[in-house]
Amino acid sequence: MTFSPSSILVTGGAGFIGSNFIHAFIANNPDCRVTNLDCLTYAGNLANLKGVEHHPHYRFVLGDIGDAALVATILAGEKIDAVVHFAAESHVDRSITGPEIFVRTNVLGTQTLLEESRKHWQAGAVADFRFLQISTDEVYGSLGESGYFTEETPLAPNSPYSASKAGADLLVRAYHETYGMPTLNTRCSNNYGPYHFPEKLIPLLIHNIINQKSLPVYGDGRNVRDWLHVRDHAAAVETVLKAAASGSVYNIGGNNEWRNIDIVNLVCDLLDSRLGRAAGENRKLITFVTDRPGHDRRYAIDASRLKRDLGWEPAYTFERGIAETIDWYLANQEWVGEVTSGSYREYYAQQYGGRP
Ligand code: NAD
Ligand code: TYD
């Protein structure tokens, strides 16, 4: 049975994946209201939403998912029938140097959203309701040379980031089991694409190569990640929201494993020609650095359940996705300059007459 939401609450919609989701969702569902609740951390940028901000059914609310009164007001006021929960602290390296905010936002913030959603759903304010928790394959821990994460793989997170996401996923499960709340949980592999903050591997590489800065490769560079274009992730989330059964968990991935060093070499080579540099020039920027503590060796997702049950498959080949991503960064140097300098906060001030 297909669920057709009429008013959704997107949390973290000013971040990388949330903003890509909002662009796609509004294009596909122009009659559905979309409320974006985001507190605009360093990773939240309203310039990611240019093009939808004046859409009659889009509304931005500056606020924290941990603010129970605000969340309750939005749920009731907007008659929200689906929560799509992206808001999080998302960078593993930051979680190693400062884990506390990860617990506060990812665990306690999710708990607040769940609790306010439970009250709203139990009050019967809307005919149907879904809570979709966006999560990561990192909750499963690390793989050896072979094998894949399935939805049955036990949770074994290794970083404060993945531990906080696993904690949130378990709370979502508990709300379904205890209260019968209609929850959904997706766990996706590493994303890449437009609006990706240049602290994560792929946008960092592009940014540093353009600026002829060194390319830090952690450890031996042989850690493996499974890369998916962010628009494929957004499409999968929309599919799960509309078609998955209450209480279900779905892995999302593109069957696209790369060793880090191979990605680094590929991005170097693609940018040699685009920047008019000699072949092999950019690879000279590669610098092996001390490994990340607790660095997961390999992630690989088995997303066959999603394909089998709901018919989702990625639309992007990696060849096309990485080429388009590099071209997007080259064409959007102003955006990169704004987020690296922090001046994008001026944009908020201009639009909303104050500072986040
Ligand atoms: P991001 O860091 O780019 O964006 C996070 C957004 O959440 C920002 O706009 C930020 O301002 C907002 N936010 C943070 N704390 C908040 C709070 N307390 N209240 C309201 N808003 C808050 O993250 P992303 O890469 O877009 O990831 C989005 C979600 O997808 C996360 O839940 C992450 O765990 C998950 N995920 C990410 C990846 C990936 O490769 N990036 C892969 C799988 C799953
Ligand atoms: P990242 O983009 O931080 O995603 P995650 O840690 O969530 O997988 O990192 C992707 C991989 O690239 C990971 O194995 C760590 C590695 N890495 C580097 O080698 N150098 C870097 O500067 C960064 C940011 C990551």
Side-chain angles (χ1 to χ4, degrees), residues 191-193 196 200-207 227 263 267 318 322 325 329:
N191 285 212
Y192 69 98
H196 205 182
K200 309 275 172 64
L201 181 67
I202 288 181
L204 179 104
L205 292 172
I206 299 170
H207 178 64
W227 294 94
I263 288 268
V267 175
F318 190 60
I322 195 73
T325 300
Y329 277 87

Side-chain angles (χ1 to χ4, degrees), residues 218-274:
Y218 300 165
D220 64 4
R222 289 166 188 241
N223 300 65
V224 172
R225 296 292 182 265
D226 190 350
W227 294 94
L228 183 74
H229 195 280
V230 65
R231 290 187 186 134
D232 280 328
H233 186 187
V237 168
E238 187 173 335
T239 300
V240 170
L241 178 67
K242 290 180 172 173
S246 169
S248 54
V249 178
Y250 282 99
N251 284 347
I252 305 172
N255 216 0
N256 180 41
E257 288 180 57
W258 286 78
R259 294 188 316 174
N260 290 340
I261 189 63
D262 297 330
I263 288 268
V264 176
N265 285 331
L266 175 71
V267 175
C268 282
D269 296 349
L270 289 171
L271 274 161
D272 276 338
S273 52
R274 283 169 171 76

Side-chain angles (χ1 to χ4, degrees), residues 180-200:
M181 192 162 125
T183 62
L184 303 164
N185 194 171
T186 56
R187 296 184 179 136
C188 190
S189 61
N190 286 63
N191 285 212
Y192 69 98
Y195 306 120
H196 205 182
F197 197 86
E199 64 181 353
K200 309 275 172 64

Side-chain angles (χ1 to χ4, degrees), residues 15-17 38-39 41 44 64-65 86 90 135 161 165 188 191:
F16 165 47
I17 306 174
D38 197 302
C39 71
T41 67
D64 196 306
I65 55 167
F86 292 95
S90 68
S135 191
Y161 163 65
K165 292 297 293 185
C188 190
N191 285 212

Side-chain angles (χ1 to χ4, degrees), residues 108 143 149:
L108 298 176
L143 292 164
F149 297 132

